[in-house]
Amino acid sequence: MQVSKTHAGQALLESLLVLTLLAVLMQVLFETIAPLHNQQMSRIEMAREALWRWQPSAVEESSEGYAFAKRAKVVLAPLKALTGLNLAQENLRTINADSDYAPMARITDTWSPQATAELYSRPAQLTPFSRLQELGVGEVQDFISWLHFTEEFDSESLKFGHVAIDATPSELPCQRGTRC
């Protein structure tokens, strides 16, 4: 079977037309879709940067309107009532869709101490005797410690509800392979 010259020319012309169409399509992809992709990636990066900052930014909103926060609020309400310890539930941070930002959400851990003073006060609130200092037991201790045989009851010696954050376990200084 012999292929005629007209059929060979037609196949060559169709191949050339398909390749030209593919070249035009690739050019449109590079000129239209690639910049849109880069713009979307830039929006995602800006939203991620704003959401992962330590301090909340102006574009993000905080919310407690998700299932875990609602259940935790019910469970933690008695703890807050008894100890005064406030564990924030407003820890869902969201960024709404914008021309500069992609929509994004993050649940943060706001239960961490935010200041050095909270390293002392927050654990102390969880001790059973922390309320005794508020009720004036320190003055009673100082009064009782005037007696010669009760000096250890001084409010500086016996601290109710005190948490020493600098104290370390005795095992900490031990080295591997040595006995403590």
Side-chain angles (χ1 to χ4, degrees), residues 50-51 53-66 69 88-96 104-108 110:
L51 203 57
R53 281 189 200 136
W54 177 252
Q55 295 295 327
S57 64
V59 295
E60 71 183 44
E61 299 172 2
S62 294
S63 171
E64 57 184 26
Y66 62 102
Q89 299 300 310
E90 199 169 291
N91 58 355
L92 174 65
R93 294 168 60 185
T94 58
I95 294 179
N96 294 325
M104 203 168 281
R106 174 181 171 220
I107 295 179
T108 60
T110 59

Side-chain angles (χ1 to χ4, degrees), residues 21-39:
L21 188 61
L22 281 175
V24 168
L25 185 61
M26 291 297 286
Q27 184 67 23
V28 167
L29 283 174
F30 284 126
E31 288 181 1
T32 308
I33 295 181
L36 290 175
H37 171 72
N38 291 338
Q39 180 187 12

Side-chain angles (χ1 to χ4, degrees), residues 154-171:
D154 184 27
S155 63
E156 294 299 317
S157 299
L158 180 61
K159 297 179 181 179
F160 291 110
H162 175 72
V163 175
I165 63 166
D166 295 329
T168 58
S170 60
E171 298 85 23

Side-chain angles (χ1 to χ4, degrees), residues 62-140:
S62 294
S63 171
E64 57 184 26
Y66 62 102
F68 177 76
K70 291 175 184 175
R71 299 310 267 160
K73 189 182 288 186
V74 171
V75 172
L76 295 174
L79 181 67
K80 183 177 180 181
L82 292 173
T83 65
L85 184 65
N86 186 16
L87 298 174
Q89 299 300 310
E90 199 169 291
N91 58 355
L92 174 65
R93 294 168 60 185
T94 58
I95 294 179
N96 294 325
D98 188 331
S99 61
D100 295 331
Y101 298 98
M104 203 168 281
R106 174 181 171 220
I107 295 179
T108 60
D109 181 16
T110 59
W111 293 0
S112 301
Q114 301 297 317
T116 306
E118 288 183 359
L119 289 173
Y120 295 99
S121 65
R122 290 181 77 179
Q125 288 175 330
L126 295 173
T127 62
F129 295 112
S130 63
R131 294 282 184 171
L132 290 178
Q133 292 298 336
E134 295 172 10
L135 296 174
V137 171
E139 288 81 18
V140 174

